[in-house]
Amino acid sequence: MHLELNGARVRIAQLGPDFVILDEATAIPMHQAEIVLRVDATERRWPVDLPHGLSGPGQRTPIVNLA
């Protein structure tokens, strides 16, 4: 599971209904992203807004589902 940000990928450690917790640090200043979830051979994608940008690893990053 990861966020896609203009072609860059940032791994997600945890996904909640209105937040993600990143697995790694990133310096990409984005406010729109796409969550990519792959289970076996099935992939699901949905756009999200990052109203406060990205937080550091281990911290909650608020998201708003745009789908």
Side-chain angles (χ1 to χ4, degrees), residues 1-3 10-26 35 50 53-63:
M1 176 171 41
H2 64 272
L3 282 176
V10 180
R11 288 188 312 230
I12 297 172
Q14 185 176 348
L15 174 64
D18 61 353
F19 71 92
V20 293
I21 296 178
L22 302 178
D23 193 36
E24 56 193 275
T26 184
I35 293 177
L50 309 166
L54 293 170
S55 301
Q59 299 177 351
R60 286 183 178 217
T61 297
I63 60 172

Side-chain angles (χ1 to χ4, degrees), residues 35-67:
I35 293 177
V36 180
L37 175 65
R38 180 182 289 263
V39 178
D40 297 328
T42 303
E43 181 175 275
R44 181 169 177 230
R45 295 172 169 259
W46 61 97
V48 294
D49 183 56
L50 309 166
H52 305 293
L54 293 170
S55 301
Q59 299 177 351
R60 286 183 178 217
T61 297
I63 60 172
V64 176
N65 190 347
L66 299 176

